[in-house]
């Protein structure tokens, strides 16, 4: 899929998140990547929230590659206690064994708990790409919603 088509889908996804989920979004650029950032809320039984970042991952020879790579990255918690990393990692291994999509981990340099899912598609049209990506975004939000309370409990 060419860069112009990806840009069009990116903008549709931003509008979709704002309208469908009633969430504010912002677009940021860092390290050559452009992200949609938003904060889904009412997550888990305790109505928590997390940072959701969405972006296309560029490939070499962008317009000649059949596959499109789309990253869904979520920051779930910040300022983790480094002394608890071994305990947290053990618990995350158990959770990851049963997680339905993506995986959880610790980004040590930033002391954050994250969820990451890389969606790869060979969608031929903008509509097909939009449909696939919005479905994947919904899957990830539901996955984190399902696991959120358990994740928060392992951080204590």
């Amino acid at each position: 899929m060419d860069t112009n088509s990806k840009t069009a889908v990116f903008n549709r996804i931003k509008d979709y998140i704002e309208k469908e989920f009633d969430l504010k979004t912002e677009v940021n650029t860092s390290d050559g990547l452009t992200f949609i950032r938003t904060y889904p809320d009412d997550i888990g039984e305790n109505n928590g929230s997390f940072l959701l970042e969405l972006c296309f991952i560029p490939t070499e020879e962008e317009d000649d590659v059949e596959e499109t790579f789309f990253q869904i990255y979520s920051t779930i918690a910040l300022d983790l206690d480094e002394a608890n990393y071994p305990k947290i990692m053990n618990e995350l291994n158990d959770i990851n064994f049963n997680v339905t999509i993506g995986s959880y981990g610790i980004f040590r340099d930033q002391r954050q708990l994250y969820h990451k899912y890389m969606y790869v598609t060979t969608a031929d049209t903008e509509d097909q790409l939009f449909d696939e990506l919005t479905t994947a975004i919904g899957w990830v939000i539901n996955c984190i919603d399902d696991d959120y309370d358990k994740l928060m409990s392992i951080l204590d």
Side-chain angles (χ1 to χ4, degrees):
M1 180 124 345
D2 65 47
T3 303
N4 290 334
S5 294
K6 288 180 188 176
T7 300
V9 170
F10 184 85
N11 290 328
R12 284 178 63 190
I13 289 171
K14 180 184 180 302
D15 292 342
Y16 170 82
I17 290 169
E18 290 174 351
K19 291 175 185 161
E20 185 70 22
F21 296 102
D22 194 29
L23 295 171
K24 292 182 181 180
T25 63
E26 60 184 52
V27 175
N28 293 46
T29 301
S30 175
D31 297 326
L33 299 175
T34 301
F35 296 85
I36 297 171
R37 298 178 71 171
T38 190
Y39 292 89
D41 52 10
D42 295 328
I43 302 298
E45 290 183 21
N46 295 319
N47 298 318
S49 67
F50 64 93
L51 169 62
L52 179 67
E53 297 178 298
L54 312 167
C55 72
F56 285 103
I57 302 297
T59 56
E60 292 182 28
E61 302 173 25
E62 185 76 20
D63 293 334
D64 295 330
V65 176
E66 286 184 34
E67 295 84 6
T68 298
F69 298 87
F70 189 77
Q71 180 175 275
I72 304 171
Y73 186 90
S74 304
T75 302
I76 298 166
L78 295 169
D79 300 321
L80 301 180
D81 183 354
E82 293 179 44
N84 288 336
Y85 281 2
K87 173 191 158 229
I88 295 169
M89 286 305 298
N90 283 336
E91 295 289 336
L92 288 179
N93 284 336
D94 291 341
I95 294 170
N96 279 332
F97 187 74
N98 294 307
V99 75
T100 55
I101 189 168
S103 62
Y104 297 100
I106 295 174
F107 184 25
R108 292 177 184 265
D109 292 347
Q110 299 295 320
R111 296 178 45 215
Q112 68 178 233
L113 173 64
Y114 70 85
H115 179 274
K116 181 179 175 186
Y117 179 60
M118 182 69 71
Y119 189 83
V120 181
T121 181
T122 56
D124 293 325
T125 67
E126 289 179 17
D127 287 340
Q128 182 183 3
L129 182 60
F130 174 80
D131 290 344
E132 288 183 21
L133 295 180
T134 53
T135 298
I137 292 164
W139 289 339
V140 168
I141 291 172
N142 287 334
C143 175
I144 294 171
D145 185 42
D146 290 346
D147 295 332
Y148 191 82
D149 295 322
K150 184 184 288 186
L151 293 165
M152 293 300 102
S153 72
I154 67 174
L155 300 179
D156 294 334

